[in-house]
Amino acid sequence: MTDSLELPALGARRSVRGEVANALRAALVAGQMRPGEVYSAPTLAARFGVSATPVREAMLDLVKEGLVETVRNKGFRVTELSEQELDNLTEIRRLLEVPTTVQVIDVITAEDLARLRPMAQRIVDVAEDKDLIAYIEHDRQFHLELLALIGNSHLVSLVGELRARSRLFGLTRLAEAGELVPSAREHIEMLDLIEAGDRSGLERLMRAHIGHVRGRWAGRAEHPEP
């Protein structure tokens, strides 16, 4: 197993299996768990500071989601995706997330904004701390909470799956260089635009924000949205 994989130690949690699964998804998205590498439940459990059972159960959840595959008597291997597949996933996310986030302007309340603003600030905080796994997880929670305001649970579930299948192999380098902070602050800007009712501004920001996934975050040159 690669030495670059960094996983948080978990304390006593209500659902250790769920916490492990979320952390593993974040590590997958961040490219810290690489295709072709075999990861054993006991080794991952040692990194989490928990027993192997919840880790094995969490990995089986990821198998069902198509994110990893079992390797008999060895562990689990990350499913490989081509660059074209990753581009396609990102385009589907744009088609779903951009217009839905703009629709949020019509339904969001002051209470919703008050609840989401600390979440957006938390993304900035962990970006400044260069905590990549926490960044991925808080980013996921924020966007899914935002989309959930529309009331379409199927869309939220689908977007969650699409996000989990992404691979951002350039993200570790950007986090170490402190270059995730500007992207993190875009979450606060999203809420400002929603509060102001600025549909066109929010659409532009969301398209650019999702575009990071296949630009510098993926280790590619990033081109601005037209």
Side-chain angles (χ1 to χ4, degrees):
M1 183 170 62
T2 178
D3 292 334
S4 65
L5 176 59
E6 296 178 3
L7 296 173
L10 300 180
R13 302 289 182 92
R14 183 169 55 186
S15 174
V16 174
R17 173 179 179 170
E19 293 291 339
V20 170
N22 285 340
L24 288 171
R25 288 189 192 95
L28 283 165
V29 172
Q32 291 190 340
M33 295 179 70
R34 292 273 180 170
E37 294 277 352
V38 176
Y39 299 88
S40 72
T43 302
L44 289 172
R47 296 201 176 201
F48 278 117
V50 299
S51 70
T53 298
V55 175
R56 189 172 292 107
E57 292 173 344
M59 292 298 279
L60 290 173
D61 289 340
L62 300 189
V63 169
K64 293 177 183 178
E65 296 171 19
L67 301 179
V68 300
E69 57 190 11
T70 57
V71 180
R72 187 175 178 83
N73 298 325
K74 291 185 178 181
F76 303 87
R77 181 167 48 220
V78 178
T79 303
E80 295 197 44
L81 292 174
S82 69
E83 292 293 321
Q84 184 61 56
E85 288 174 310
L86 292 170
D87 287 341
N88 291 343
L89 291 173
T90 302
E91 181 57 26
I92 296 171
R93 281 190 55 197
R94 275 199 176 116
L95 291 171
L96 293 174
E97 291 186 60
V98 174
T100 305
T101 302
V102 173
Q103 288 179 43
V104 167
I105 290 175
D106 298 324
V107 300
I108 199 165
T109 66
E111 290 75 15
D112 293 327
L113 282 166
R115 177 172 55 85
L116 288 165
R117 285 197 180 278
M119 295 175 66
Q121 182 58 51
R122 180 60 177 158
I123 298 171
V124 177
D125 294 342
V126 296
E128 291 175 342
D129 290 341
K130 303 179 183 179
D131 187 339
L132 185 55
I133 299 301
Y135 181 92
I136 294 291
E137 176 58 13
H138 286 293
D139 175 75
R140 182 189 71 85
Q141 290 177 355
F142 174 86
H143 284 284
L144 296 186
E145 288 277 346
L146 194 60
L147 295 173
L149 295 176
I150 295 299
N152 188 333
S153 60
H154 296 292
L155 182 143
V156 173
S157 178
L158 178 56
V159 170
E161 292 174 12
L162 293 170
R163 293 174 66 90
R165 293 181 67 82
S166 298
R167 300 289 186 272
L168 307 175
F169 296 118
L171 207 54
T172 299
R173 175 180 52 77
L174 293 177
E176 291 172 351
E179 296 181 29
L180 279 182
V181 176
S183 298
R185 289 178 179 151
E186 289 176 357
H187 299 86
I188 296 174
E189 186 179 351
M190 285 174 207
L191 295 180
D192 291 341
L193 291 169
I194 289 172
E195 187 170 21
D198 187 344
R199 294 174 184 274
S200 60
L202 181 59
E203 180 177 350
R204 285 193 299 272
L205 178 60
M206 279 300 301
R207 289 186 65 82
H209 187 73
I210 295 174
H212 298 328
V213 171
R214 298 305 295 147
R216 297 182 67 207
W217 287 19
R220 289 174 161 183
E222 188 166 346
H223 301 288
E225 283 289 303

